[in-house]
Amino acid sequence: MNRSRRWPLGPSPRRQSSGASPSRSPVATWTRRLAAATSVGVPLALLATAWGPLTTGHPAHLLLLAAVIVIGTTAAVWRRVPPWLALALTVVLVAPLLYLQPFASTQDGDDATVLRPDGPVRAGLVFHPGARVDHRAYVPLLRRVAAQGFLVVVVKEPLNIALLGGDTAPLRAEHPEVPVWAVGGHSLGGVAAARDVAADPAVRGLVLWASYPVDDLSGRGGLRAWSIRGERDGFTTREDVEDSRGLLPADTRFEVVPGAVHAFFGDYGDQPGDGVPSASRDDAQEKIVELTAAALGDLAVHAANGGHGREP
């Protein structure tokens, strides 16, 4: 005979809730909110404070900001991701953004990347900016160089890191009127310039601003190389340049700008960790322009003479 099943007196057999689940606790909720707010707020704040260099530079930086917002907020609201992991991921995503925030140009309005002389083009220069520096910070100096008969192309680097850029041959191919090309750069941009020279024998000149190569160019025949550094540079020191001499051709010209520091090679303000200048920015930059124009003039004469001679 079937008997109806009876439960003993006491609590229901159904499991009683012992409180909020870990993923829905107040601490977890606020952790997720913090992760989401940071993932959105930090990129937007960085965009607002560096609007000029980020919106006129290479699009990779804007794409990175957008990716951090999407990935960070997705991890924060997705319940399958533990709150602590969402917050940790946010920190990992945001930290590089803070490091990559560019040094903005102190000169307004000029975001040109191709600078042309009024008359015939004697030679060309592809220029790599320094790490994390707004490309526009170099335009005023390089425009003065271009005015002396040279076509200058300023590279917009991905994330303002020159070593992340590709081959500059396509940029040079856009200007068939240029008879001979040099590649140059400031600081890390100079390392990228030396890399271009090592990879492409069509490049006949190298102009280093407060920089030195890591590639061995000592055996590169026909290369006209100039190294221009600041006397009071706190980053590219005299010892750094001297130690790299063996990587450059034996006839490389080494020039020193009296009293100049690292940040004088562009218009982006002071740079933490730099040396203390003993010359004015204007005087130092006048010398930098003079030496750079001399380097390109030397290259033009050398090429016009079939690989012989220097500009007087």
Side-chain angles (χ1 to χ4, degrees):
M1 182 175 64
N2 293 332
R3 296 182 178 179
S4 61
R5 189 171 185 180
R6 295 185 179 182
W7 297 101
L9 295 176
S12 168
R14 293 184 179 180
R15 187 171 296 172
Q16 300 295 312
S17 174
S18 59
S21 67
S23 63
R24 297 178 183 271
S25 70
V27 172
T29 298
W30 281 106
T31 299
R32 291 186 183 280
R33 289 177 180 176
L34 177 60
T38 303
S39 298
V40 175
V42 171
L44 292 182
L46 295 177
L47 177 61
T49 56
W51 180 263
L54 293 182
T55 56
T56 61
H58 194 285
H61 213 131
L62 293 177
L63 293 174
L64 179 62
L65 293 176
V68 169
I69 292 174
V70 171
I71 296 172
T73 54
T74 299
V77 301
W78 193 17
R79 294 295 177 180
R80 296 185 66 178
V81 177
W84 65 267
L85 182 57
L87 186 59
L89 178 62
T90 299
V91 173
V92 171
L93 291 172
V94 166
L97 296 184
L98 298 174
Y99 171 77
L100 291 170
Q101 188 74 344
F103 293 98
S105 171
T106 57
Q107 303 293 320
D108 295 329
D110 198 347
D111 62 351
T113 56
V114 179
L115 313 176
R116 302 176 183 275
D118 292 332
V121 176
R122 301 168 59 198
L125 173 68
V126 173
F127 187 85
H128 293 279
R132 299 185 296 147
V133 179
D134 183 354
H135 75 278
R136 301 175 303 167
Y138 299 96
V139 172
L141 276 175
L142 293 173
R143 192 176 289 284
R144 290 156 61 184
V145 172
Q148 300 183 50
F150 309 107
L151 187 142
V152 180
V153 179
V154 186
V155 182
K156 292 183 179 183
E157 309 287 6
L159 305 180
N160 295 304
I161 301 294
L163 294 179
L164 298 179
D167 185 8
T168 60
L171 293 177
R172 288 181 267 121
E174 294 176 6
H175 306 283
E177 73 277 18
V178 176
V180 62
W181 281 100
V183 181
H186 176 220
S187 195
L188 187 64
V191 177
R195 179 195 60 184
D196 280 355
V197 171
D200 191 346
V203 178
R204 303 285 299 281
L206 174 64
V207 182
L208 299 172
W209 282 7
S211 185
Y212 49 88
V214 296
D215 298 286
D216 188 356
L217 304 174
S218 60
R220 172 67 186 278
L223 177 66
R224 315 303 284 175
W226 285 56
S227 172
I228 305 168
R229 69 172 181 87
E231 180 186 23
R232 306 298 295 273
D233 194 318
F235 295 104
T236 303
T237 65
R238 179 178 62 84
E239 290 76 15
D240 293 331
V241 174
E242 289 295 324
D243 289 344
S244 70
R245 275 181 177 265
L247 299 176
L248 290 166
D251 62 350
T252 297
R253 288 278 295 269
F254 292 89
E255 300 288 347
V256 178
V257 181
V261 295
H262 201 75
F264 280 6
F265 285 82
D267 289 304
Y268 57 92
D270 298 330
Q271 190 166 350
D274 202 356
V276 179
S278 60
S280 70
R281 182 182 290 269
D282 288 343
D283 288 346
Q285 290 188 341
E286 183 177 350
K287 187 66 174 178
I288 292 167
V289 170
E290 174 190 326
L291 291 172
T292 304
L296 295 176
D298 170 55
L299 174 63
V301 170
H302 188 74
N305 293 339
H308 302 283
R310 281 187 180 272
E311 186 176 52

